[in-house]
Amino acid sequence: MNSTLGTTTQYLDVTGGRIAYDDAPGSGVPVVLLPGMLEKRGSYRHLVPLLSAAGHRVVTMDLRGMGESSTGFTDHTPAAIADDLAALLAHLDLRGAVLVGSSYTGATVVRAAALAPERTGGVVLIDAFIENLPLNGFQKALFGLAAPLVTAFPGLWGTMQKFYYPATSRPADFEDYRAGLAAMLREPARKAALRGYLKGDSAPVGWCAEVDVPALVLMGDKDPDFPKPELVADRQTAALRGRKVMIEGAGHYPMASHPQAVADALLPFLAEPAGTGGSAR
């Protein structure tokens, strides 16, 4: 089967099911890209060509119960997905891979770096939920209301995408992509996964202390999920002893809305020797 990224979908059997992934060849530093909650690996569809053109091997993985991965998993936490990622790194025998997590899976790549330090050359967080500020009353009410509504009306997630992308920064294929997300979540077999993600702890605190690899924090300065995006990015940067880059004008998914800006930040990071982290460490 051909994926939306132009490669043939491959599969890896893991505990509880199977994970779908793409593997675009390259001789440079391998990069493994994980989408966010209720997303597909196609969220990186505009970034992958830029990384591939620079010579990097690019692996993009669907999460449990999403995209082309199987349904039926009982655990959808960031830690469980980290086990899948570590299994994929071993399956592909990747060494020095840079692990990139978006939103919900920022915590996943941090955990995977601790699980497989011998295979990890760095971590990159994109608008990630880890080391976040405590939720205020309004946020608790908002998230508490959104979870049951999206569970009952999966198509609402497609509508909510308009909230995550500033109107002036939506990619040309935005309407088609968000319609595809809504269609995916309407599949009856996806509902258990949907509930699992919405109930999971997406913002653990303390995991970064176990990681000792170069780190890059990318954050859209218009991300509506964070009242103070730069403050959250600062917390993550300090916890990982890394560096940050704010993506001007971007919402929650800068790899789709501002792929060139993300590539401009990511490619120099990939060019550094693994384990050095440059002047920020």
Side-chain angles (χ1 to χ4, degrees), residues 100-274:
V100 182
S102 163
S103 189
Y104 189 85
T105 57
T108 292
V109 299
V110 168
R111 173 57 63 90
L115 291 175
E118 74 285 0
R119 297 188 180 277
T120 305
V123 295
V124 179
L125 308 185
I126 301 180
D127 291 69
F129 280 94
I130 188 169
E131 304 294 343
N132 195 10
L133 294 169
L135 298 180
N136 59 36
F138 173 75
Q139 289 173 303
K140 289 180 180 178
L142 178 63
F143 291 130
L145 179 64
L149 282 176
V150 172
T151 301
F153 307 102
L156 181 61
W157 187 250
T159 303
M160 289 175 65
Q161 295 303 299
K162 293 183 178 180
F163 176 70
Y164 289 120
Y165 289 82
T168 57
S169 66
R170 294 169 186 167
D173 60 356
F174 173 72
E175 293 297 335
D176 288 341
Y177 184 75
R178 75 184 188 93
L181 290 181
M184 175 185 71
L185 296 176
R186 288 192 187 101
E187 297 173 18
R190 306 284 178 194
K191 289 187 177 181
L194 190 156
R195 289 192 294 269
Y197 283 111
L198 291 175
K199 292 179 180 178
D201 177 11
S202 63
V205 173
W207 286 9
C208 293
E210 301 178 32
V211 175
D212 188 23
V213 295
L216 175 65
V217 174
L218 305 181
M219 178 73 73
D221 69 353
K222 304 298 183 185
D223 190 334
D225 266 345
F226 306 110
K228 297 180 179 179
E230 188 160 10
L231 181 56
V232 174
D234 285 339
R235 287 169 61 94
Q236 295 168 351
T237 302
L240 288 166
R241 302 169 304 284
R243 73 194 67 172
K244 74 171 183 183
V245 174
M246 300 299 294
I247 308 298
E248 185 176 355
H252 196 58
Y253 302 104
M255 64 281 200
S257 65
H258 293 69
Q260 188 61 61
V262 171
D264 288 345
L266 184 53
L267 289 173
F269 181 75
L270 296 174
E272 296 168 1

Side-chain angles (χ1 to χ4, degrees), residues 51-65:
L51 301 181
S52 293
H56 294 285
R57 180 178 180 180
V58 185
V59 178
T60 311
M61 185 183 105
D62 273 332
L63 308 185
R64 297 177 165 210

